[in-house]
Amino acid sequence: MLDLKFVRENPELIREALRKRRAQFDLDELLELDEKRRALLVQADDLRALRNRVSDEIARMKKEKKDISGVVKEMKEVSEKIKGLEGELSVVEERIRELMLSLPNVPHESVPEGEDEEDNVVVRTWGEPREFSFEPRDHVEIGEKLGILDFERAAKIAGARFVLFRGAGALLERALINFMLDLHTREHGYEEYLPPFMANRDSFIGTGQLPKFEEDLFRVADTDFYLVPTAEVPVTNIVRGEILREEDLPLKMTAYTPCFRKEAGSYGRDVRGMIRQHQFDKVELVKITTPETSWEELESLTRDAEEVLKRLGLPYRVVTLCTGDLGFSAAKTYDIEVWLPSQGRYREISSCSNFTDFQARRAMIRYRPEGTKKVRYCHTLNGSGLAVGRTVVAILENYQQEDGSVIIPEALRPYMGGVERIAG
RNA sequence: GGAGAGAUGGCCGAGUCUGGCUGAAGGCAACCGCCUGCUAAGCGGUUGAACGGGUAAAACCGUUCCGAGGGUUCGAAUCCCUCUCUCUCCGCCA
């Protein structure tokens, strides 16, 4: 959520931001309602001030045994008037809130303008895609041949867009989770959490998934719970409604969770294999920082995520999302894309964003700068570090051998009980 | 699932029966002074948030906030209703 006062005072800046994002939003309605709200507020406040004054007066008169019936009658009318104004006010405020919750964040000035992912800008590239002496297979073929991925039975159990890991496949998934968590906690200074995998509505509003993106979420029937689509939701909301101490910032948190997504509107996209699943594992990185440090923290967070790929020896590149591709809550996002030989291109495996104070304002995450009384909103950031399922895909495809076996990257072997190769 | 207790400021904790100068006693913590070889102790002071008005910016003024939402009343932390959460005991259970 943006600051309404800021919107009021900088309407052209907001209009420009919306244009760059290619976003639809009725800014004029918001500005009109805001004006109406303030007019109503002044009226109501004045009447309440009157009532408060006279109420004190009544208390005094009562003590002095004076007749109060006249004033009481008058105040009864004032109270009725206040009630009427409050009714009008709550209608206006509810609509303002609706609008504010669906107004996207302002892109950072360094974000390139563009329509869609075609206009994203490559920042850097690491590693060389391997030259194959044979036609590289995709992860579905590799995994099924090795008996470690089973899509057919997963479909029987649950349906499309699920996978069943088996044997070395299950071990590989688990090893990656542990490897990533260890790297981030032991070397990158993050604290590990293991949060609930379901969260309530307020949490989802806090990080911006609700109310706008309900159709992407699984809701648990007859409850107020939604399955988390990313650990960003439960982890960022750990400090929802809190005023933090500056000396405790930045908070650096990491968590493994499964992620549940409906993938509504992606019918026909990535239908094969485990690129796009209703359930996948992810290790997430979350930072809560001061406004002064958030941009450098975005850089280091991205590097922390990249480090996973470096250690695994997987070629990747980093792109800056253009304004048209930028997520609703983000001010700037780097996607990390890993090389997939079967597709001959880079595919997203991590998304690292600075949300500035957008989520913090929704979730009321604030801090008190040292030596001052005024509280300020924190900046929140997060990034995948990494999407585990897609990492499995990348390992299977990049490390496949002509005989169908797969070499395990060295860094991962301690987590695999020393296994160096998965063979059929 | 059954029975009971509770939810007040950064924290602890009064106030609720008996509605009104209580943004909220007292304590702790933090900050600023003083004192002091240093530290501790001691003394004095300061310290909530949101919104609106106001200002160059402050100061300042008003309103709202005692888990959430309704109601009663001239007036609600205090009375009534609904909900949420926490704790204790019983039952069931991984």
Side-chain angles (χ1 to χ4, degrees), chain A residues 142-389:
Chain A
I142 299 165
E144 285 181 337
K145 278 223 171 87
L146 289 171
I148 60 173
L149 299 180
D150 191 335
F151 293 97
E152 273 181 39
R153 283 170 166 154
K156 178 167 67 180
I157 299 166
R161 294 207 189 286
F162 287 92
V163 66
L164 172 67
F165 294 97
R166 175 178 173 232
L171 176 59
L172 177 59
E173 180 87 2
R174 176 159 60 92
L176 279 168
I177 294 166
N178 286 332
F179 165 67
M180 291 179 196
L181 286 172
D182 281 353
L183 174 65
H184 297 313
T185 56
R186 292 175 190 170
E187 298 186 44
H188 295 154
Y190 293 77
E191 186 174 16
E192 182 176 352
Y193 285 86
L194 207 163
F197 298 163
M198 296 185 242
N200 58 33
R201 198 176 168 79
D202 286 345
S203 294
F204 280 86
I205 287 174
T207 34
Q209 285 77 12
L210 288 178
K212 247 199 131 177
F213 305 102
E214 177 133 25
E215 69 278 6
D216 292 337
L217 301 172
F218 285 106
R219 180 171 188 170
V220 181
D222 303 325
T223 71
D224 184 36
F225 299 128
Y226 295 81
L227 298 183
V228 302
T230 158
E232 162 193 355
V233 177
V235 175
T236 306
N237 277 285
I238 288 171
V239 290
R240 183 174 85 235
E242 295 189 19
I243 297 174
L244 306 166
R245 299 187 309 177
E246 181 169 18
E247 64 202 87
D248 293 333
L249 301 179
L251 298 182
K252 295 171 70 175
M253 305 179 277
T254 183
Y256 151 75
T257 69
C259 302
F260 302 93
R261 298 183 182 181
K262 272 198 178 163
E263 296 297 346
S266 67
Y267 307 113
R269 258 200 295 163
D270 304 312
V271 283
R272 182 177 164 83
M274 48 185 285
I275 294 288
R276 196 172 295 277
Q277 304 272 279
H278 285 312
Q279 175 189 327
F280 63 95
D281 292 313
K282 183 152 63 73
V283 169
E284 187 75 1
L285 304 171
V286 175
K287 286 183 181 181
I288 314 285
T289 76
T290 64
E292 286 72 25
T293 59
S294 70
W295 293 106
E296 48 189 284
E297 293 289 354
L298 175 63
E299 297 301 320
S300 65
L301 185 143
T302 308
R303 301 272 179 191
D304 291 339
E306 285 173 59
E307 186 62 25
V308 176
L309 290 169
K310 285 184 183 164
R311 302 259 177 132
L312 294 174
L314 294 168
Y316 69 86
R317 65 178 193 181
V318 178
V319 304
T320 304
L321 298 195
C322 71
T323 51
D325 202 23
L326 195 62
F328 173 76
S329 305
K332 182 174 185 175
T333 298
Y334 292 119
D335 270 8
I336 303 174
E337 302 179 330
V338 71
W339 178 256
L340 291 187
S342 73
Q343 301 189 3
R345 64 177 183 124
Y346 292 95
R347 291 298 306 259
E348 178 189 344
I349 196 166
S350 172
S351 198
C352 303
S353 307
N354 185 356
F355 301 93
T356 58
D357 59 6
F358 189 84
Q359 292 181 328
R361 187 170 289 106
R362 290 172 160 241
M364 292 292 278
I365 301 169
R366 296 172 292 177
Y367 78 103
R368 204 179 299 278
E370 271 168 288
T372 68
K373 319 191 222 175
K374 200 74 192 143
V375 293
R376 297 171 77 194
Y377 288 106
C378 295
H379 279 195
T380 63
L381 302 87
N382 68 57
S384 351
L386 310 161
V388 180

Side-chain angles (χ1 to χ4, degrees), chain A residues 394-407:
Chain A
I395 288 173
L396 294 183
E397 295 197 2
N398 281 283
Y399 283 95
Q400 63 178 301
Q401 306 302 304
E402 188 155 15
D403 64 4
S405 67
V406 173
I407 305 276

Side-chain angles (χ1 to χ4, degrees), chain A residues 53-230:
Chain A
R53 263 202 315 279
V54 176
S55 284
D56 288 349
E57 188 74 20
I58 289 173
R60 204 172 19 245
M61 287 169 73
K62 233 169 130 179
K63 223 178 270 172
E64 295 165 7
K65 304 255 195 264
K66 284 188 185 159
D67 176 41
I68 55 171
S69 57
V71 240
V72 165
K73 200 172 154 212
E74 236 171 83
M75 282 308 105
K76 204 168 201 149
E77 277 168 35
V78 169
S79 276
E80 284 307 312
K81 237 187 243 173
I82 291 173
K83 214 169 265 182
L85 287 170
E86 281 175 343
E88 272 185 77
L89 205 51
S90 74
V91 171
V92 171
E93 285 183 333
E94 183 46 45
R95 180 62 188 149
I96 288 176
R97 186 178 148 75
E98 253 177 61
L99 287 167
M100 286 304 287
L101 284 177
S102 64
L103 180 59
N105 202 352
V106 177
H108 189 250
E109 58 195 17
S110 67
V111 174
E113 186 175 342
E115 289 300 320
D116 51 34
E117 61 181 307
E118 297 298 308
D119 297 324
N120 295 343
V121 175
V122 177
V123 180
R124 57 183 169 269
T125 304
W126 184 91
E128 277 293 319
R130 178 180 148 201
E131 295 285 343
F132 284 87
S133 56
F134 57 95
E135 187 60 32
R137 294 166 285 258
D138 79 350
H139 69 280
V140 177
E141 200 179 336
I142 299 165
E144 285 181 337
K145 278 223 171 87
L146 289 171
I148 60 173
L149 299 180
D150 191 335
F151 293 97
E152 273 181 39
R153 283 170 166 154
K156 178 167 67 180
I157 299 166
R161 294 207 189 286
F162 287 92
V163 66
L164 172 67
F165 294 97
R166 175 178 173 232
L171 176 59
L172 177 59
E173 180 87 2
R174 176 159 60 92
L176 279 168
I177 294 166
N178 286 332
F179 165 67
M180 291 179 196
L181 286 172
D182 281 353
L183 174 65
H184 297 313
T185 56
R186 292 175 190 170
E187 298 186 44
H188 295 154
Y190 293 77
E191 186 174 16
E192 182 176 352
Y193 285 86
L194 207 163
F197 298 163
M198 296 185 242
N200 58 33
R201 198 176 168 79
D202 286 345
S203 294
F204 280 86
I205 287 174
T207 34
Q209 285 77 12
L210 288 178
K212 247 199 131 177
F213 305 102
E214 177 133 25
E215 69 278 6
D216 292 337
L217 301 172
F218 285 106
R219 180 171 188 170
V220 181
D222 303 325
T223 71
D224 184 36
F225 299 128
Y226 295 81
L227 298 183
V228 302
T230 158

